[in-house]
Amino acid sequence: MTLTDTVRRAEHAVGLAGLTGRTARTESAARTEGAARTESAARTESAARTEGTARAESTSDASAPEKAPRSAAGREADGLAVASFVLGLVGLLVMNILLGPAAIVMALLALARSTGRRGRALLGLALGVADLVVLAVLVSANGAVVWNVGG
């Protein structure tokens, strides 16, 4: 009996039959080495995922993610939203006959252009309507479009 026959019998006994040219010891070593590589790769992947998650969490906690620059139309719509808010707010005090409708129109334009400041546009719309309500109350109380603050 030769060494090759002995190795084949050992392979067959261990369950490694059909591995010609390899000994049971080299196959076992190869399996162990392959398992070690697989575990190492799994650890590396796990560490990369953990690091990526930590980076994502630190980015979201530290500051908001950077947004792409808005187009000119988007900035214009945002400006309309802010202008409608300011005009509606000022219109509650003075010149509500002019500033109320202007605030309403600007708010509707900002909403139609999909502003990023939707809440501000809605506030401008509400304040513009409030301007007209104040105007209606003053006209019905005084009979004219006149403010009487002191008496």
Side-chain angles (χ1 to χ4, degrees):
M1 186 183 273
T2 64
L3 182 60
T4 307
D5 291 333
T6 307
V7 169
R8 285 190 184 159
R9 284 186 186 175
E11 286 175 349
H12 183 67
V14 177
L16 302 174
L19 298 174
T20 22
R22 294 185 183 169
T23 63
R25 184 174 176 195
T26 53
E27 182 62 24
S28 174
R31 283 186 182 172
T32 304
E33 185 179 317
R37 284 183 190 158
T38 305
E39 289 175 12
S40 173
R43 276 189 236 125
T44 304
E45 279 184 22
S46 175
R49 277 192 223 123
T50 303
E51 184 179 325
T53 304
R55 281 184 188 163
E57 288 174 356
S58 69
T59 301
S60 64
D61 290 344
S63 64
E66 293 183 28
K67 295 180 181 177
R70 293 187 48 96
S71 66
R75 286 191 304 263
E76 183 181 333
D78 289 350
L80 284 170
V82 172
S84 72
F85 174 74
V86 170
L87 289 179
L89 197 59
V90 172
L92 286 173
L93 302 173
V94 293
M95 295 195 312
N96 49 6
I97 195 167
L98 297 174
L99 298 180
I104 291 171
V105 169
M106 286 185 177
L108 291 175
L109 283 173
L111 290 171
R113 294 180 184 177
S114 300
T115 180
R117 299 180 182 217
R118 182 174 169 79
R120 187 77 41 93
L122 291 173
L123 280 173
L125 181 65
L127 287 170
V129 170
D131 289 348
L132 296 180
V133 169
V134 167
L135 177 66
V137 167
L138 288 175
V139 167
S140 66
N142 293 336
V145 184
V146 177
W147 279 79
N148 286 330
V149 177

PDB file of all heavy atoms in Angstrom, residues 8 10 35 39 47 50 53-54 67 69-70 110 114:
ATOM      1  N   ARG A   8      -6.037   8.406   0.601  1.00  0.00           N
ATOM      2  CA  ARG A   8      -7.402   8.257   0.075  1.00  0.00           C
ATOM      3  C   ARG A   8      -8.292   7.535   1.073  1.00  0.00           C
ATOM      4  O   ARG A   8      -9.450   7.908   1.238  1.00  0.00           O
ATOM      5  CB  ARG A   8      -7.369   7.518  -1.258  1.00  0.00           C
ATOM      6  CG  ARG A   8      -6.886   8.414  -2.361  1.00  0.00           C
ATOM      7  CD  ARG A   8      -7.062   7.794  -3.699  1.00  0.00           C
ATOM      8  NE  ARG A   8      -6.481   8.694  -4.700  1.00  0.00           N
ATOM      9  CZ  ARG A   8      -6.119   8.321  -5.882  1.00  0.00           C
ATOM     10  NH1 ARG A   8      -6.254   7.060  -6.258  1.00  0.00           N
ATOM     11  NH2 ARG A   8      -5.620   9.176  -6.731  1.00  0.00           N
ATOM     12  N   ALA A  10      -7.889   7.556   4.284  1.00  0.00           N
ATOM     13  CA  ALA A  10      -8.112   8.497   5.378  1.00  0.00           C
ATOM     14  C   ALA A  10      -9.148   9.543   4.968  1.00  0.00           C
ATOM     15  O   ALA A  10     -10.018   9.926   5.756  1.00  0.00           O
ATOM     16  CB  ALA A  10      -6.804   9.163   5.768  1.00  0.00           C
ATOM     17  N   ALA A  35     -12.558  29.602   6.564  1.00  0.00           N
ATOM     18  CA  ALA A  35     -13.479  30.049   7.610  1.00  0.00           C
ATOM     19  C   ALA A  35     -12.941  31.297   8.297  1.00  0.00           C
ATOM     20  O   ALA A  35     -13.686  32.224   8.604  1.00  0.00           O
ATOM     21  CB  ALA A  35     -13.714  28.935   8.621  1.00  0.00           C
ATOM     22  N   GLU A  39     -14.825  34.858   8.456  1.00  0.00           N
ATOM     23  CA  GLU A  39     -15.101  35.557   9.703  1.00  0.00           C
ATOM     24  C   GLU A  39     -14.466  36.938   9.712  1.00  0.00           C
ATOM     25  O   GLU A  39     -15.070  37.907  10.162  1.00  0.00           O
ATOM     26  CB  GLU A  39     -14.574  34.739  10.889  1.00  0.00           C
ATOM     27  CG  GLU A  39     -15.378  33.492  11.170  1.00  0.00           C
ATOM     28  CD  GLU A  39     -14.764  32.657  12.275  1.00  0.00           C
ATOM     29  OE1 GLU A  39     -13.854  33.146  12.967  1.00  0.00           O
ATOM     30  OE2 GLU A  39     -15.199  31.518  12.439  1.00  0.00           O
ATOM     31  N   ALA A  47     -17.985  46.129  11.000  1.00  0.00           N
ATOM     32  CA  ALA A  47     -17.347  47.365  11.461  1.00  0.00           C
ATOM     33  C   ALA A  47     -17.653  48.512  10.503  1.00  0.00           C
ATOM     34  O   ALA A  47     -17.917  49.637  10.925  1.00  0.00           O
ATOM     35  CB  ALA A  47     -15.841  47.167  11.582  1.00  0.00           C
ATOM     36  N   THR A  50     -21.249  49.590  11.089  1.00  0.00           N
ATOM     37  CA  THR A  50     -21.340  50.325  12.340  1.00  0.00           C
ATOM     38  C   THR A  50     -20.761  51.720  12.180  1.00  0.00           C
ATOM     39  O   THR A  50     -21.347  52.705  12.630  1.00  0.00           O
ATOM     40  CB  THR A  50     -20.576  49.577  13.458  1.00  0.00           C
ATOM     41  OG1 THR A  50     -21.109  48.265  13.556  1.00  0.00           O
ATOM     42  CG2 THR A  50     -20.723  50.298  14.785  1.00  0.00           C
ATOM     43  N   THR A  53     -23.143  53.807  10.099  1.00  0.00           N
ATOM     44  CA  THR A  53     -24.297  54.212  10.896  1.00  0.00           C
ATOM     45  C   THR A  53     -23.918  55.320  11.853  1.00  0.00           C
ATOM     46  O   THR A  53     -24.652  56.280  12.022  1.00  0.00           O
ATOM     47  CB  THR A  53     -24.840  52.998  11.681  1.00  0.00           C
ATOM     48  OG1 THR A  53     -25.145  51.966  10.753  1.00  0.00           O
ATOM     49  CG2 THR A  53     -26.077  53.365  12.465  1.00  0.00           C
ATOM     50  N   ALA A  54     -22.743  55.174  12.475  1.00  0.00           N
ATOM     51  CA  ALA A  54     -22.294  56.213  13.402  1.00  0.00           C
ATOM     52  C   ALA A  54     -22.079  57.529  12.672  1.00  0.00           C
ATOM     53  O   ALA A  54     -22.428  58.595  13.173  1.00  0.00           O
ATOM     54  CB  ALA A  54     -21.001  55.775  14.091  1.00  0.00           C
ATOM     55  N   LYS A  67     -28.277  70.705   1.713  1.00  0.00           N
ATOM     56  CA  LYS A  67     -29.274  70.616   0.660  1.00  0.00           C
ATOM     57  C   LYS A  67     -28.666  71.128  -0.632  1.00  0.00           C
ATOM     58  O   LYS A  67     -27.764  71.944  -0.637  1.00  0.00           O
ATOM     59  CB  LYS A  67     -30.503  71.448   1.013  1.00  0.00           C
ATOM     60  CG  LYS A  67     -31.245  70.931   2.222  1.00  0.00           C
ATOM     61  CD  LYS A  67     -32.441  71.796   2.501  1.00  0.00           C
ATOM     62  CE  LYS A  67     -33.177  71.315   3.728  1.00  0.00           C
ATOM     63  NZ  LYS A  67     -34.293  72.177   4.071  1.00  0.00           N
ATOM     64  N   PRO A  69     -28.432  73.391  -3.817  1.00  0.00           N
ATOM     65  CA  PRO A  69     -28.824  74.793  -3.971  1.00  0.00           C
ATOM     66  C   PRO A  69     -30.150  74.897  -4.717  1.00  0.00           C
ATOM     67  O   PRO A  69     -30.398  74.172  -5.673  1.00  0.00           O
ATOM     68  CB  PRO A  69     -27.684  75.409  -4.772  1.00  0.00           C
ATOM     69  CG  PRO A  69     -26.849  74.297  -5.262  1.00  0.00           C
ATOM     70  CD  PRO A  69     -27.180  73.084  -4.471  1.00  0.00           C
ATOM     71  N   ARG A  70     -31.002  75.783  -4.233  1.00  0.00           N
ATOM     72  CA  ARG A  70     -32.314  75.936  -4.849  1.00  0.00           C
ATOM     73  C   ARG A  70     -32.202  76.740  -6.132  1.00  0.00           C
ATOM     74  O   ARG A  70     -31.333  77.579  -6.292  1.00  0.00           O
ATOM     75  CB  ARG A  70     -33.259  76.627  -3.875  1.00  0.00           C
ATOM     76  CG  ARG A  70     -33.558  75.739  -2.673  1.00  0.00           C
ATOM     77  CD  ARG A  70     -34.620  76.315  -1.789  1.00  0.00           C
ATOM     78  NE  ARG A  70     -35.803  76.762  -2.472  1.00  0.00           N
ATOM     79  CZ  ARG A  70     -36.907  76.045  -2.626  1.00  0.00           C
ATOM     80  NH1 ARG A  70     -36.958  74.833  -2.181  1.00  0.00           N
ATOM     81  NH2 ARG A  70     -37.955  76.552  -3.229  1.00  0.00           N
ATOM     82  N   ALA A 110     -46.800  82.139  -4.136  1.00  0.00           N
ATOM     83  CA  ALA A 110     -45.750  81.327  -3.503  1.00  0.00           C
ATOM     84  C   ALA A 110     -46.199  79.877  -3.368  1.00  0.00           C
ATOM     85  O   ALA A 110     -45.424  78.948  -3.640  1.00  0.00           O
ATOM     86  CB  ALA A 110     -45.397  81.894  -2.134  1.00  0.00           C
ATOM     87  N   SER A 114     -44.728  76.230  -5.401  1.00  0.00           N
ATOM     88  CA  SER A 114     -44.171  75.210  -4.491  1.00  0.00           C
ATOM     89  C   SER A 114     -43.002  75.759  -3.682  1.00  0.00           C
ATOM     90  O   SER A 114     -41.866  75.289  -3.786  1.00  0.00           O
ATOM     91  CB  SER A 114     -43.730  73.964  -5.264  1.00  0.00           C
ATOM     92  OG  SER A 114     -44.806  73.402  -5.937  1.00  0.00           O
TER      93      SER A 114
END
